Amino acid sequence: MSMKRAIYVLMMVAGLALTSCEKDEVGGTATQSLAGEWVVTVDAVDANGETVIEDPFGSGHIMMNTYNTAANTATEMWVDDLTNFWEFKVKVKADTQTLTFATEGAAQNAVYDCKVTIDGGKVLLKAATTPSGMPADSIVFYVGFDDDDNPAAYGYAKYKVSGYRYTGLAADN
């Protein structure tokens, strides 16, 4: 290989290497202030939000997600229990300024045919303390299901879901 050709090949390789090092700026989603993975507990509560039965199904801490819809607008998002509680995934109205969310009445569950009502949903920045003692964002909301006979049978109105943003630390699971 001639010296001229070797220099040309080296310049091409160097040019490709420099081009491949450029980073595209990755933006967030429209609901990123409300979105996340959450470690939550579920309690049965009365109409005033007072706990009637702690952890009625013995689930302990469960994982759930909140995330943007395909439309990626700041006014709606998904709340998804990842089939860890009632098997629900429902679209809610969101307000990224006040960090609140709720369904408008009963909304269709995307996992199976039932209606889900979420109210009082909010994210509180740095309001939780994780098991490892670190501050984290907090989430709380109330949820009910039209196919749930337990509230009438056991004297409660709905479920309170509350917890903290997942940190990824083993001590916080």
Side-chain angles (χ1 to χ4, degrees), residues 82-103:
L82 306 171
T83 70
N84 288 321
F85 165 53
W86 200 266
E87 297 187 14
F88 74 92
K89 175 181 171 183
V90 65
K91 197 180 292 186
V92 296
K93 294 297 176 191
D95 185 332
T96 57
Q97 299 301 311
T98 61
L99 300 177
T100 58
F101 58 93
T103 57

Side-chain angles (χ1 to χ4, degrees), residues 6-158:
I7 292 172
Y8 178 71
V9 170
L10 283 172
M11 288 178 64
M12 280 185 53
V13 169
L16 287 173
L18 290 174
T19 304
S20 65
C21 289
E22 290 180 23
K23 302 277 187 204
D24 290 332
E25 186 65 32
V26 178
T29 65
T31 59
Q32 70 184 14
S33 58
L34 290 167
E37 279 186 289
W38 305 92
V39 178
V40 299
T41 56
V42 178
D43 295 321
V45 297
D46 63 19
N48 297 322
E50 298 297 320
T51 301
V52 176
I53 304 170
E54 286 187 19
D55 194 8
F57 303 108
S59 303
H61 289 92
I62 61 170
M63 296 292 293
M64 62 162 289
N65 288 341
T66 53
Y67 49 90
N68 65 300
T69 64
N72 195 28
T73 65
T75 58
E76 65 182 7
M77 71 174 183
W78 289 103
V79 176
D80 186 344
D81 79 342
L82 306 171
T83 70
N84 288 321
F85 165 53
W86 200 266
E87 297 187 14
F88 74 92
K89 175 181 171 183
V90 65
K91 197 180 292 186
V92 296
K93 294 297 176 191
D95 185 332
T96 57
Q97 299 301 311
T98 61
L99 300 177
T100 58
F101 58 93
T103 57
E104 291 183 326
Q108 181 60 47
N109 185 355
V111 178
Y112 73 94
D113 189 25
C114 86
K115 299 289 186 184
V116 180
T117 303
I118 291 178
D119 59 45
K122 57 187 160 188
V123 171
L124 303 164
L125 301 177
K126 305 291 186 214
T129 302
T130 66
S132 68
M134 299 299 295
D137 295 342
S138 171
I139 190 170
V140 63
F141 64 92
Y142 297 91
V143 62
F145 309 94
D146 74 348
D147 64 342
D148 183 7
D149 297 329
N150 292 316
Y154 297 102
Y156 58 90
K158 53 192 168 186

